[in-house]
PDB file of all heavy atoms in Angstrom:
ATOM      1  N   MET A1438      -5.652   3.586 -51.136  1.00  0.00           N
ATOM      2  CA  MET A1438      -4.771   4.433 -50.351  1.00  0.00           C
ATOM      3  C   MET A1438      -3.348   4.069 -50.694  1.00  0.00           C
ATOM      4  O   MET A1438      -2.892   3.093 -50.116  1.00  0.00           O
ATOM      5  CB  MET A1438      -5.077   4.358 -48.855  1.00  0.00           C
ATOM      6  CG  MET A1438      -6.525   4.722 -48.502  1.00  0.00           C
ATOM      7  SD  MET A1438      -6.825   4.504 -46.693  1.00  0.00           S
ATOM      8  CE  MET A1438      -5.984   5.954 -46.058  1.00  0.00           C
ATOM      9  N   PRO A1439      -2.690   4.764 -51.589  1.00  0.00           N
ATOM     10  CA  PRO A1439      -1.284   4.383 -51.943  1.00  0.00           C
ATOM     11  C   PRO A1439      -0.394   4.463 -50.716  1.00  0.00           C
ATOM     12  O   PRO A1439      -0.416   5.454 -49.941  1.00  0.00           O
ATOM     13  CB  PRO A1439      -0.910   5.423 -52.971  1.00  0.00           C
ATOM     14  CG  PRO A1439      -2.055   6.278 -53.204  1.00  0.00           C
ATOM     15  CD  PRO A1439      -3.076   5.987 -52.270  1.00  0.00           C
ATOM     16  N   ALA A1440       0.436   3.445 -50.497  1.00  0.00           N
ATOM     17  CA  ALA A1440       1.286   3.396 -49.371  1.00  0.00           C
ATOM     18  C   ALA A1440       2.627   2.733 -49.776  1.00  0.00           C
ATOM     19  O   ALA A1440       2.670   1.900 -50.733  1.00  0.00           O
ATOM     20  CB  ALA A1440       0.711   2.594 -48.234  1.00  0.00           C
ATOM     21  N   THR A1441       3.691   3.009 -49.065  1.00  0.00           N
ATOM     22  CA  THR A1441       4.994   2.457 -49.287  1.00  0.00           C
ATOM     23  C   THR A1441       5.677   2.182 -48.014  1.00  0.00           C
ATOM     24  O   THR A1441       5.520   3.022 -47.072  1.00  0.00           O
ATOM     25  CB  THR A1441       5.822   3.269 -50.274  1.00  0.00           C
ATOM     26  OG1 THR A1441       7.001   2.546 -50.576  1.00  0.00           O
ATOM     27  CG2 THR A1441       6.220   4.610 -49.630  1.00  0.00           C
ATOM     28  N   VAL A1442       6.479   1.117 -47.914  1.00  0.00           N
ATOM     29  CA  VAL A1442       7.182   0.872 -46.702  1.00  0.00           C
ATOM     30  C   VAL A1442       8.520   1.706 -46.773  1.00  0.00           C
ATOM     31  O   VAL A1442       9.344   1.418 -47.677  1.00  0.00           O
ATOM     32  CB  VAL A1442       7.520  -0.642 -46.535  1.00  0.00           C
ATOM     33  CG1 VAL A1442       8.386  -0.882 -45.330  1.00  0.00           C
ATOM     34  CG2 VAL A1442       6.206  -1.359 -46.393  1.00  0.00           C
ATOM     35  N   VAL A1443       8.675   2.650 -45.877  1.00  0.00           N
ATOM     36  CA  VAL A1443       9.882   3.526 -45.970  1.00  0.00           C
ATOM     37  C   VAL A1443      10.911   3.097 -44.908  1.00  0.00           C
ATOM     38  O   VAL A1443      12.030   3.577 -44.989  1.00  0.00           O
ATOM     39  CB  VAL A1443       9.437   5.054 -45.619  1.00  0.00           C
ATOM     40  CG1 VAL A1443       8.488   5.524 -46.740  1.00  0.00           C
ATOM     41  CG2 VAL A1443       8.844   5.215 -44.308  1.00  0.00           C
ATOM     42  N   ALA A1444      10.573   2.273 -44.019  1.00  0.00           N
ATOM     43  CA  ALA A1444      11.497   1.766 -43.016  1.00  0.00           C
ATOM     44  C   ALA A1444      11.071   0.319 -42.701  1.00  0.00           C
ATOM     45  O   ALA A1444       9.903   0.044 -42.462  1.00  0.00           O
ATOM     46  CB  ALA A1444      11.503   2.612 -41.764  1.00  0.00           C
ATOM     47  N   GLU A1445      12.040  -0.580 -42.699  1.00  0.00           N
ATOM     48  CA  GLU A1445      11.706  -1.975 -42.300  1.00  0.00           C
ATOM     49  C   GLU A1445      12.814  -2.496 -41.452  1.00  0.00           C
ATOM     50  O   GLU A1445      13.935  -2.011 -41.418  1.00  0.00           O
ATOM     51  CB  GLU A1445      11.535  -2.840 -43.564  1.00  0.00           C
ATOM     52  CG  GLU A1445      12.712  -2.903 -44.502  1.00  0.00           C
ATOM     53  CD  GLU A1445      12.324  -3.661 -45.751  1.00  0.00           C
ATOM     54  OE1 GLU A1445      11.315  -4.272 -45.894  1.00  0.00           O
ATOM     55  OE2 GLU A1445      13.203  -3.585 -46.690  1.00  0.00           O
ATOM     56  N   ALA A1446      12.464  -3.506 -40.673  1.00  0.00           N
ATOM     57  CA  ALA A1446      13.438  -4.133 -39.719  1.00  0.00           C
ATOM     58  C   ALA A1446      13.131  -5.648 -39.674  1.00  0.00           C
ATOM     59  O   ALA A1446      12.051  -6.078 -39.986  1.00  0.00           O
ATOM     60  CB  ALA A1446      13.248  -3.496 -38.364  1.00  0.00           C
ATOM     61  N   GLY A1447      14.135  -6.370 -39.253  1.00  0.00           N
ATOM     62  CA  GLY A1447      14.002  -7.813 -39.156  1.00  0.00           C
ATOM     63  C   GLY A1447      13.174  -8.234 -37.968  1.00  0.00           C
ATOM     64  O   GLY A1447      12.644  -9.367 -37.957  1.00  0.00           O
ATOM     65  N   TYR A1448      13.067  -7.325 -36.995  1.00  0.00           N
ATOM     66  CA  TYR A1448      12.333  -7.670 -35.800  1.00  0.00           C
ATOM     67  C   TYR A1448      11.449  -6.474 -35.354  1.00  0.00           C
ATOM     68  O   TYR A1448      11.716  -5.332 -35.757  1.00  0.00           O
ATOM     69  CB  TYR A1448      13.286  -8.127 -34.656  1.00  0.00           C
ATOM     70  CG  TYR A1448      13.898  -9.437 -34.891  1.00  0.00           C
ATOM     71  CD1 TYR A1448      15.101  -9.567 -35.582  1.00  0.00           C
ATOM     72  CD2 TYR A1448      13.190 -10.615 -34.584  1.00  0.00           C
ATOM     73  CE1 TYR A1448      15.683 -10.792 -35.828  1.00  0.00           C
ATOM     74  CE2 TYR A1448      13.791 -11.872 -34.866  1.00  0.00           C
ATOM     75  CZ  TYR A1448      15.016 -11.967 -35.490  1.00  0.00           C
ATOM     76  OH  TYR A1448      15.535 -13.180 -35.777  1.00  0.00           O
ATOM     77  N   LEU A1449      10.528  -6.732 -34.454  1.00  0.00           N
ATOM     78  CA  LEU A1449       9.562  -5.752 -34.122  1.00  0.00           C
ATOM     79  C   LEU A1449      10.218  -4.509 -33.411  1.00  0.00           C
ATOM     80  O   LEU A1449       9.816  -3.370 -33.576  1.00  0.00           O
ATOM     81  CB  LEU A1449       8.526  -6.394 -33.146  1.00  0.00           C
ATOM     82  CG  LEU A1449       7.377  -5.479 -32.678  1.00  0.00           C
ATOM     83  CD1 LEU A1449       6.585  -4.958 -33.833  1.00  0.00           C
ATOM     84  CD2 LEU A1449       6.499  -6.313 -31.706  1.00  0.00           C
ATOM     85  N   ALA A1450      11.311  -4.756 -32.702  1.00  0.00           N
ATOM     86  CA  ALA A1450      11.959  -3.630 -31.971  1.00  0.00           C
ATOM     87  C   ALA A1450      12.375  -2.542 -32.937  1.00  0.00           C
ATOM     88  O   ALA A1450      12.216  -1.399 -32.689  1.00  0.00           O
ATOM     89  CB  ALA A1450      13.148  -4.145 -31.209  1.00  0.00           C
ATOM     90  N   GLY A1451      12.877  -2.914 -34.097  1.00  0.00           N
ATOM     91  CA  GLY A1451      13.286  -1.947 -35.051  1.00  0.00           C
ATOM     92  C   GLY A1451      12.075  -1.216 -35.702  1.00  0.00           C
ATOM     93  O   GLY A1451      12.116   0.047 -35.986  1.00  0.00           O
ATOM     94  N   VAL A1452      10.983  -1.870 -35.877  1.00  0.00           N
ATOM     95  CA  VAL A1452       9.751  -1.271 -36.319  1.00  0.00           C
ATOM     96  C   VAL A1452       9.230  -0.226 -35.314  1.00  0.00           C
ATOM     97  O   VAL A1452       8.890   0.909 -35.736  1.00  0.00           O
ATOM     98  CB  VAL A1452       8.639  -2.348 -36.638  1.00  0.00           C
ATOM     99  CG1 VAL A1452       7.293  -1.637 -36.889  1.00  0.00           C
ATOM    100  CG2 VAL A1452       9.049  -3.226 -37.702  1.00  0.00           C
ATOM    101  N   LEU A1453       9.302  -0.604 -34.057  1.00  0.00           N
ATOM    102  CA  LEU A1453       8.814   0.347 -33.014  1.00  0.00           C
ATOM    103  C   LEU A1453       9.754   1.581 -32.983  1.00  0.00           C
ATOM    104  O   LEU A1453       9.275   2.719 -32.832  1.00  0.00           O
ATOM    105  CB  LEU A1453       8.847  -0.314 -31.660  1.00  0.00           C
ATOM    106  CG  LEU A1453       7.788  -1.484 -31.492  1.00  0.00           C
ATOM    107  CD1 LEU A1453       8.041  -2.194 -30.186  1.00  0.00           C
ATOM    108  CD2 LEU A1453       6.388  -0.947 -31.643  1.00  0.00           C
ATOM    109  N   ASP A1454      11.076   1.387 -33.106  1.00  0.00           N
ATOM    110  CA  ASP A1454      11.992   2.530 -33.099  1.00  0.00           C
ATOM    111  C   ASP A1454      11.749   3.420 -34.275  1.00  0.00           C
ATOM    112  O   ASP A1454      11.716   4.609 -34.198  1.00  0.00           O
ATOM    113  CB  ASP A1454      13.451   1.988 -33.167  1.00  0.00           C
ATOM    114  CG  ASP A1454      13.874   1.397 -31.872  1.00  0.00           C
ATOM    115  OD1 ASP A1454      13.282   1.637 -30.779  1.00  0.00           O
ATOM    116  OD2 ASP A1454      14.903   0.633 -31.878  1.00  0.00           O
ATOM    117  N   ALA A1455      11.492   2.887 -35.462  1.00  0.00           N
ATOM    118  CA  ALA A1455      11.239   3.645 -36.687  1.00  0.00           C
ATOM    119  C   ALA A1455       9.914   4.498 -36.529  1.00  0.00           C
ATOM    120  O   ALA A1455       9.830   5.635 -36.939  1.00  0.00           O
ATOM    121  CB  ALA A1455      11.154   2.803 -37.944  1.00  0.00           C
ATOM    122  N   ALA A1456       8.904   3.831 -35.974  1.00  0.00           N
ATOM    123  CA  ALA A1456       7.657   4.547 -35.796  1.00  0.00           C
ATOM    124  C   ALA A1456       7.807   5.657 -34.752  1.00  0.00           C
ATOM    125  O   ALA A1456       7.306   6.749 -34.959  1.00  0.00           O
ATOM    126  CB  ALA A1456       6.581   3.542 -35.316  1.00  0.00           C
ATOM    127  N   ARG A1457       8.547   5.372 -33.667  1.00  0.00           N
ATOM    128  CA  ARG A1457       8.772   6.415 -32.616  1.00  0.00           C
ATOM    129  C   ARG A1457       9.548   7.588 -33.200  1.00  0.00           C
ATOM    130  O   ARG A1457       9.346   8.719 -32.786  1.00  0.00           O
ATOM    131  CB  ARG A1457       9.583   5.836 -31.464  1.00  0.00           C
ATOM    132  CG  ARG A1457       8.767   4.915 -30.616  1.00  0.00           C
ATOM    133  CD  ARG A1457       9.647   4.448 -29.366  1.00  0.00           C
ATOM    134  NE  ARG A1457       8.978   3.372 -28.757  1.00  0.00           N
ATOM    135  CZ  ARG A1457       9.448   2.070 -28.764  1.00  0.00           C
ATOM    136  NH1 ARG A1457      10.626   1.811 -29.342  1.00  0.00           N
ATOM    137  NH2 ARG A1457       8.822   1.110 -28.195  1.00  0.00           N
ATOM    138  N   ALA A1458      10.399   7.322 -34.167  1.00  0.00           N
ATOM    139  CA  ALA A1458      11.160   8.360 -34.845  1.00  0.00           C
ATOM    140  C   ALA A1458      10.318   9.172 -35.815  1.00  0.00           C
ATOM    141  O   ALA A1458      10.841  10.184 -36.392  1.00  0.00           O
ATOM    142  CB  ALA A1458      12.371   7.744 -35.570  1.00  0.00           C
ATOM    143  N   GLY A1459       9.066   8.812 -36.012  1.00  0.00           N
ATOM    144  CA  GLY A1459       8.178   9.587 -36.855  1.00  0.00           C
ATOM    145  C   GLY A1459       8.332   9.288 -38.332  1.00  0.00           C
ATOM    146  O   GLY A1459       7.880  10.081 -39.172  1.00  0.00           O
ATOM    147  N   LEU A1460       8.926   8.114 -38.678  1.00  0.00           N
ATOM    148  CA  LEU A1460       9.145   7.814 -40.047  1.00  0.00           C
ATOM    149  C   LEU A1460       7.883   7.344 -40.790  1.00  0.00           C
ATOM    150  O   LEU A1460       7.816   7.454 -42.006  1.00  0.00           O
ATOM    151  CB  LEU A1460      10.176   6.764 -40.207  1.00  0.00           C
ATOM    152  CG  LEU A1460      11.592   7.113 -39.616  1.00  0.00           C
ATOM    153  CD1 LEU A1460      12.521   5.957 -39.821  1.00  0.00           C
ATOM    154  CD2 LEU A1460      12.106   8.380 -40.288  1.00  0.00           C
ATOM    155  N   GLY A1461       6.888   6.889 -40.044  1.00  0.00           N
ATOM    156  CA  GLY A1461       5.615   6.464 -40.663  1.00  0.00           C
ATOM    157  C   GLY A1461       4.757   5.769 -39.685  1.00  0.00           C
ATOM    158  O   GLY A1461       5.049   5.651 -38.500  1.00  0.00           O
ATOM    159  N   ALA A1462       3.556   5.324 -40.183  1.00  0.00           N
ATOM    160  CA  ALA A1462       2.639   4.582 -39.346  1.00  0.00           C
ATOM    161  C   ALA A1462       2.996   3.097 -39.367  1.00  0.00           C
ATOM    162  O   ALA A1462       3.567   2.589 -40.307  1.00  0.00           O
ATOM    163  CB  ALA A1462       1.222   4.780 -39.860  1.00  0.00           C
ATOM    164  N   ALA A1463       2.618   2.401 -38.288  1.00  0.00           N
ATOM    165  CA  ALA A1463       2.839   0.974 -38.192  1.00  0.00           C
ATOM    166  C   ALA A1463       1.638   0.267 -37.786  1.00  0.00           C
ATOM    167  O   ALA A1463       0.948   0.695 -36.873  1.00  0.00           O
ATOM    168  CB  ALA A1463       3.993   0.702 -37.140  1.00  0.00           C
ATOM    169  N   LEU A1464       1.310  -0.852 -38.413  1.00  0.00           N
ATOM    170  CA  LEU A1464       0.273  -1.744 -38.010  1.00  0.00           C
ATOM    171  C   LEU A1464       0.833  -2.698 -37.052  1.00  0.00           C
ATOM    172  O   LEU A1464       1.719  -3.474 -37.447  1.00  0.00           O
ATOM    173  CB  LEU A1464      -0.350  -2.446 -39.239  1.00  0.00           C
ATOM    174  CG  LEU A1464      -1.607  -3.288 -38.959  1.00  0.00           C
ATOM    175  CD1 LEU A1464      -2.757  -2.455 -38.486  1.00  0.00           C
ATOM    176  CD2 LEU A1464      -1.998  -4.089 -40.216  1.00  0.00           C
ATOM    177  N   LEU A1465       0.284  -2.673 -35.839  1.00  0.00           N
ATOM    178  CA  LEU A1465       0.877  -3.523 -34.786  1.00  0.00           C
ATOM    179  C   LEU A1465      -0.183  -4.426 -34.133  1.00  0.00           C
ATOM    180  O   LEU A1465      -1.380  -4.078 -34.086  1.00  0.00           O
ATOM    181  CB  LEU A1465       1.448  -2.647 -33.644  1.00  0.00           C
ATOM    182  CG  LEU A1465       2.536  -1.672 -34.091  1.00  0.00           C
ATOM    183  CD1 LEU A1465       2.938  -0.796 -32.933  1.00  0.00           C
ATOM    184  CD2 LEU A1465       3.735  -2.435 -34.643  1.00  0.00           C
TER     185      LEU A1465
END
């Protein structure tokens, strides 16, 4: 399943914000 990281953050809060914004799926 080809995948790419389209948004990354130094901490979990940024990952949650990017996922909430609909940018992609997050493994949490």
Side-chain angles (χ1 to χ4, degrees):
M1438 299 176 76
T1441 187
V1442 176
V1443 297
E1445 59 186 349
Y1448 290 93
L1449 184 60
V1452 171
L1453 296 173
D1454 287 342
R1457 285 184 197 112
L1460 299 180
L1464 184 64
L1465 302 174

